[in-house]
Amino acid sequence: MLQLEDQDIHQCTQGWVPVFTDSSQTLAVMSIGFLLNNRDDAVVWRGPKKNAMIKQFIEDVSWGERDYLIIDTPPGTSDEHITVVENLRHRENVDGAVLVTTPQAVSVGDVRRELAFCRKTGVRVLGIIENMSGFVCPHCKECTNVFSSGGGEALAIETGVPFLGCIPLDPALGQSLETGTKYTEAFPQSSTTDSIFNIINKLTSVNIS
Amino acid sequence: MSDKPENAPEHCPGTTSEEAGKASSCEGCPNQKICTSGALRAPDPDIEKVKERMANIKHKILVLSGKGGVGKSTFSAHLARGLSCDESRQIALLDIDICGPSIPRMVGLEGEQVHQSGSGWSPVYVEDNLAVMSVGFLLASPDDAVIWRGPKKNGLIKQFLRDVDWGEVDYLVVDTPPGTSDEHISIVQYLSCTHVDGAVVITTPQEVSLLDVRKEINFCRKVKLPIIGIVENMSGFVCPKCKTESKIFPPTTGGAEKMATDMNVPFLGKLPLDPRIGRCCDEGKSFLAELPDSPAAVAYTEIIEKIILHCG
């Protein structure tokens, strides 16, 4: 998604050097993807091996001075989630979690469980984002709720968790992630860009205490 | 499958070896005591019980995907529904997505509970000829999180295979979570004592999803699981107002059909994005029954026919 597929990880005296998206080094990235010989290699690991890798990522990557660390996780409430919370707890507290759902009930049902996980593990929920929220036909501008509508917002209201916003189903966003273009720079006027920045503004203005 | 545990030393002789627990490399290994007891060399009695249960099941199909959110559970539910349209067939649907059990809601069985009988766990019936099992039926509330690490998930999957009394079944459809981890390794391992017809791998058209499907195909090859074929889900959307088609998830690298050709695996077909499918899943209804003449239902039926043909 960030067009970094051919990059390798290097070691320095402080630990593993993350991959930077450009020479400004504003955005540093770490992923097991950088450790694969071939992009099609399957990582067929049981929990303990995954946990060890995650621990290594948390302890050994030399990020330098950073304002925000964003951790992308797989779906679920299992090894990866338990391990990342446990390991971060030992070093510094997790500011919180952002929960992403699509509007339909089946997805919202899984996010309810994710909320229960956060409650149980003491992770603050910064908010819920409703992704793939409506598709505007580029030909006639009719908006269709392809994956239903409103489920994410309704869940936020029901559970007393902040609702951060909706991101529409935008083929151009998907296309950008495929080709590595920065969507918000390529489409600065789009409603999708507005939605993304609204969410970022809400997150960065959250009082972390 | 390797018999060297994750925490074993580098020169571990293997837990089933004659040297297990006794080799010099075993010193200090946390498993040394259990290895020297010989317990790990004995065949797992549970596997025998799984074999007995599975002997009553003619065809077994795993539904896999590399990526989350591509419609695996939706497909599994509708595959099971479609197969059960022929009332002479007995169909079983097993949900091994332990942390995200969507199947109960999708088939309209949310809130149902599992019952024990003398012959094991009774699955929950959607129709007379369609039985379902999921961790969802074991939870006090559908909102309860299952916060389990791998070993506990593996234990439940084994229990499902060992203890659920499906009876005589023509097709067992197994819905899985995304990825290539504990659940996938375990289901393949536990079913290795029986014949598995193969895996159907679900993807959406974009490269970001195909990237993970290639990994899933390589997983299948690694564990010698036959691949029945690839299904491209969410493949185009027809606007209900102007009827023009949009590729919401653009196939920037040629989509699943090209990938299937490149990787020499069968391509089963494309399923269009139809908002009514998601709505049916939310309401626990069968899209195939509600809208049988829709393009998506026709596409589903054609794919299901191909799967039946493969199973023989």
Side-chain angles (χ1 to χ4, degrees):
Chain A
M1 289 186 176
L2 298 173
Q3 288 290 292
L4 298 172
E5 272 192 298
D6 297 325
Q7 301 292 318
D8 288 319
I9 296 175
H10 304 284
Q11 293 253 22
C12 69
T13 43
Q14 286 89 23
W16 289 3
V17 181
V19 176
F20 297 101
T21 53
D22 57 36
S23 53
S24 73
Q25 299 195 344
T26 333
L27 175 53
V29 184
M30 181 54 68
S31 163
I32 198 176
F34 299 135
L35 300 171
L36 301 177
N37 287 327
N38 183 324
R39 71 202 287 268
D40 296 343
D41 285 344
V43 179
V44 186
W45 287 358
R46 287 195 185 272
K49 220 163 165 180
K50 292 194 286 185
N51 298 336
M53 181 91 266
I54 292 168
K55 189 162 190 268
Q56 225 177 336
F57 279 161
I58 291 170
E59 291 179 353
D60 294 348
V61 174
S62 171
W63 297 105
E65 294 286 328
R66 295 279 143 188
D67 296 287
Y68 292 95
L69 172 63
I70 299 159
I71 300 176
D72 184 32
T73 64
T77 52
S78 188
D79 282 278
E80 294 89 337
H81 316 84
I82 301 167
T83 297
V84 82
V85 168
E86 276 180 356
N87 279 278
L88 283 174
R89 195 170 275 151
H90 292 142
R91 297 168 60 80
E92 55 267 339
N93 251 327
V94 178
D95 291 288
V98 173
L99 270 48
V100 183
T101 184
T102 52
Q104 69 290 45
V106 159
S107 180
V108 167
D110 280 342
V111 174
R112 278 182 204 281
R113 293 188 199 102
E114 209 67 51
L115 277 167
F117 169 83
C118 290
R119 241 177 271 123
K120 257 192 167 149
T121 52
V123 173
R124 177 179 170 189
V125 178
L126 298 173
I128 290 174
I129 292 170
E130 185 177 292
N131 197 13
M132 306 198 196
S133 190
F135 172 68
V136 176
C137 176
H139 306 280
C140 69
K141 306 297 171 206
E142 168 88 351
C143 179
T144 308
N145 292 319
V146 180
F147 298 116
S148 197
S149 80
E153 188 164 12
L155 177 66
I157 294 168
E158 182 199 321
T159 54
V161 153
F163 183 62
L164 296 174
C166 296
I167 298 179
L169 250 178
D170 186 339
L173 179 57
Q175 183 96 17
S176 299
L177 289 166
E178 299 269 290
T179 56
T181 11
K182 288 184 196 172
Y183 175 84
T184 51
E185 285 179 11
F187 301 92
Q189 309 298 326
S190 76
S191 60
T192 307
T193 295
D194 282 342
S195 304
I196 292 170
F197 279 119
N198 281 340
I199 290 169
I200 292 174
N201 289 337
K202 282 184 188 168
L203 278 171
T204 49
S205 64
V206 167
N207 191 5
I208 314 289
S209 55
Chain B
M1 296 287 150
S2 169
D3 63 350
K4 293 187 177 134
E6 301 272 359
N7 56 355
E10 198 186 333
H11 299 292
C12 165
T15 55
T16 51
S17 146
E18 285 295 319
E19 290 294 299
K22 300 173 200 160
S24 55
S25 46
C26 299
E27 290 300 314
C29 173
N31 305 312
Q32 189 178 21
K33 206 173 170 185
I34 196 169
C35 282
T36 37
S37 74
L40 295 172
R41 287 201 299 280
D44 185 348
D46 286 341
I47 296 299
E48 279 307 304
K49 292 192 189 129
V50 168
K51 205 173 171 180
E52 279 168 32
R53 289 279 190 205
M54 295 295 116
N56 296 325
I57 298 179
K58 285 202 193 99
H59 300 290
K60 300 160 204 82
I61 300 162
L62 304 191
V63 181
L64 306 175
S65 80
K67 202 116 200 88
V70 297
K72 205 178 1 30
S73 297
T74 304
F75 184 84
S76 299
H78 285 89
L79 172 59
R81 293 263 202 195
L83 289 167
S84 70
C85 282
D86 179 342
E87 287 172 7
S88 68
R89 288 188 200 126
Q90 280 296 126
I91 310 300
L93 175 56
L94 174 60
D95 177 9
I96 62 166
D97 188 345
I98 309 294
C99 294
S102 310
I103 293 292
R105 174 183 270 277
M106 287 188 175
V107 296
L109 293 176
E110 201 164 52
E112 294 285 337
Q113 296 283 301
V114 163
H115 302 284
Q116 293 248 28
S117 75
S119 51
W121 287 3
S122 301
V124 185
Y125 284 83
V126 182
E127 313 282 351
D128 288 340
N129 67 336
L130 175 50
V132 183
M133 181 54 68
S134 166
V135 74
F137 301 138
L138 302 171
L139 302 174
S141 153
D143 297 350
D144 285 347
V146 180
I147 307 172
W148 289 0
R149 289 194 186 274
K152 215 165 166 180
K153 292 193 285 186
N154 300 335
L156 184 60
I157 291 169
K158 196 198 246 189
Q159 218 176 343
F160 279 160
L161 294 172
R162 188 192 66 207
D163 293 345
V164 174
D165 180 19
W166 300 105
E168 296 280 338
V169 163
D170 296 283
Y171 292 89
L172 168 66
V173 176
V174 183
D175 185 36
T176 63
T180 51
S181 188
D182 281 279
E183 297 87 336
H184 316 87
I185 301 168
S186 291
I187 192 79
V188 167
Q189 225 169 9
Y190 299 143
L191 291 180
S192 61
C193 56
T194 78
H195 168 70
V196 177
D197 292 80
V200 175
V201 186
I202 313 293
T203 182
T204 49
Q206 353 63 310
E207 175 58 24
V208 153
S209 180
L210 298 181
L211 185 58
D212 285 345
V213 169
R214 290 192 201 95
K215 294 185 170 77
E216 201 71 33
I217 291 172
N218 284 327
F219 165 78
C220 291
R221 289 183 170 150
K222 201 173 183 175
V223 301
K224 299 190 178 26
L225 176 63
I227 297 169
I228 300 174
I230 311 293
V231 172
E232 184 181 275
N233 199 12
M234 306 194 196
S235 185
F237 171 72
V238 176
C239 175
K241 191 175 178 199
C242 70
K243 308 295 176 206
T244 321
E245 201 199 3
S246 294
K247 299 247 177 255
I248 291 185
F249 299 112
T252 54
T253 56
E257 193 164 10
K258 179 176 181 303
M259 184 217 63
T261 309
D262 292 344
M263 296 210 65
N264 201 25
V265 295
F267 182 67
L268 295 175
K270 297 182 184 187
L271 293 167
L273 247 179
D274 187 326
R276 298 169 296 183
I277 298 177
R279 224 167 290 146
C280 282
C281 287
D282 279 356
E283 295 168 13
K285 297 182 181 150
S286 168
F287 175 77
L288 302 177
E290 298 286 310
L291 293 141
D293 300 324
S294 63
V298 169
Y300 256 110
T301 309
E302 283 172 5
I303 289 170
I304 293 171
E305 288 300 317
K306 287 181 185 172
I307 294 170
I308 294 172
L309 211 64
H310 172 98
C311 292

